[in-house]
Amino acid sequence: MSETISVWPSRLRALSPLVGAVAFVALWWWACALKLVDPVLLPTPGAVLGALWDGFVGGAMVHDFLVTVQRTLLSFAIALAIAVPCGIVLGSSKQLYGFVEFLIDFFRSTPASALFPLFLVLFGVGEKTKVAVAAFGAGLTILFNVAYGVMNARKTRQAAARVMGASRLRIMVDVTLLESLPQTFIGMRAGISFALIIVIVAEMFIGSVDGLGQRVLNAQMVFEMPTMYAAILAAGILGYGLNLVFLLIERRFVHWGGK
């Protein structure tokens, strides 16, 4: 009996994210029922879910969804391939990091949308610009977190490995990099979310004919509000799903984080 009772708290914790979602939908439905907002501007949850269902079952939104996923993953892969090695190098030398710290913080603090004209000049109107600007923004986030994780690896474990006769390369690979993985995964989760945000904004304003961002903009221009909200909901589900995937990977392979 006691074992059954002890299981319930864990089950309730697992279901706790649904409470916020249900409360949000209930508040949305309540606002629509009382017509607190013009029904043309705020359709009911049922209408939005219906538009989302029709978009995916009919295939109209599937293509845009997959295109956004492709652009996001490509830009994230480019950012990861460049930012992780650079972050390891910079984190290994505080003096070297000090030389470029201002540039990293400056561009990391600059809104990515403000860099659109620069990337348009460099890459022109097309796929390269969307991917490049998203990779740039995500890469800076990953770079900062990787460097920070390497710099703040526990000195006691490094010293213990050094006393045991491990080489500098062995200490870097078996101690420092493993110690930096929790912070690296934080950067990766933030980076994939940042890449998705930039891709969707770029799809709105940089000559796109497809993608969730373009679908949101087109639906808004012709006042197809259920479709617009459905595309926004699809983008939110995509972002949540990508973040959840990295969170599960982190819990599986970086279970020692914080220990």
Side-chain angles (χ1 to χ4, degrees):
M1 182 67 178
S2 59
E3 293 181 359
T4 303
I5 295 175
S6 63
V7 169
W8 277 105
S10 61
R11 291 181 177 178
L12 291 176
R13 283 195 299 270
L15 295 175
S16 59
L18 295 177
V19 176
V22 172
F24 174 76
V25 173
L27 181 63
W28 183 1
W29 178 87
W30 177 76
C32 293
L34 297 181
K35 295 185 179 180
L36 299 179
V37 182
D38 188 338
V40 176
L41 301 178
L42 184 64
T44 64
V48 173
L49 291 176
L52 183 65
W53 175 263
D54 293 339
F56 275 91
V57 172
M61 198 177 293
V62 173
H63 173 72
D64 292 321
F65 185 86
L66 293 178
V67 166
T68 298
V69 171
Q70 180 182 3
R71 289 169 178 157
T72 301
L73 294 180
L74 178 58
S75 59
F76 176 74
I78 295 172
L80 199 65
I82 297 175
V84 170
C86 291
I88 293 173
V89 172
L90 293 176
S92 301
S93 173
K94 290 187 176 181
Q95 184 177 9
L96 180 59
Y97 183 82
F99 289 145
V100 298
E101 183 177 10
F102 170 77
L103 291 176
I104 295 175
D105 288 339
F106 176 81
F107 283 109
R108 195 166 58 89
S109 303
T110 302
S113 56
L115 299 175
F116 282 176
L118 173 61
F119 281 87
L120 283 170
V121 170
L122 294 175
F123 298 102
V125 178
E127 289 297 308
K128 290 182 180 179
T129 299
K130 302 179 190 65
V131 173
V133 69
F136 180 78
L140 288 175
T141 302
I142 298 171
L143 173 64
F144 173 81
N145 281 277
V146 172
Y148 183 81
V150 171
M151 284 189 293
N152 289 275
R154 297 187 184 183
K155 309 302 180 186
T156 52
R157 294 183 180 178
Q158 292 176 332
R162 198 174 294 112
V163 169
M164 295 173 66
S167 64
R168 293 185 61 181
L169 179 61
R170 188 70 180 274
I171 294 174
M172 172 62 71
V173 173
D174 292 346
V175 180
T176 305
L177 292 185
L178 290 179
E179 285 283 322
S180 68
L181 278 181
Q183 189 67 37
T184 299
F185 267 91
I186 291 174
M188 290 169 64
R189 293 208 318 267
I192 192 74
S193 299
F194 201 30
L196 175 61
I197 292 170
I198 299 174
V199 164
I200 289 179
V201 174
E203 288 172 346
M204 291 181 176
F205 302 111
I206 303 182
S208 290
V209 295
D210 50 20
L212 290 176
Q214 187 63 25
R215 178 163 290 272
V216 169
L217 189 62
N218 288 341
Q220 181 267 334
M221 292 178 66
V222 297
F223 270 76
E224 293 182 358
M225 291 304 169
T227 302
M228 185 191 77
Y229 283 101
I232 294 173
L233 183 60
I237 293 172
L238 174 58
Y240 181 82
L242 291 173
N243 182 76
L244 183 62
V245 168
F246 277 95
L247 189 61
L248 292 175
I249 294 174
E250 180 182 359
R251 289 178 179 176
R252 175 66 178 83
F253 295 102
V254 197
H255 51 81
W256 66 85
K259 298 179 180 179

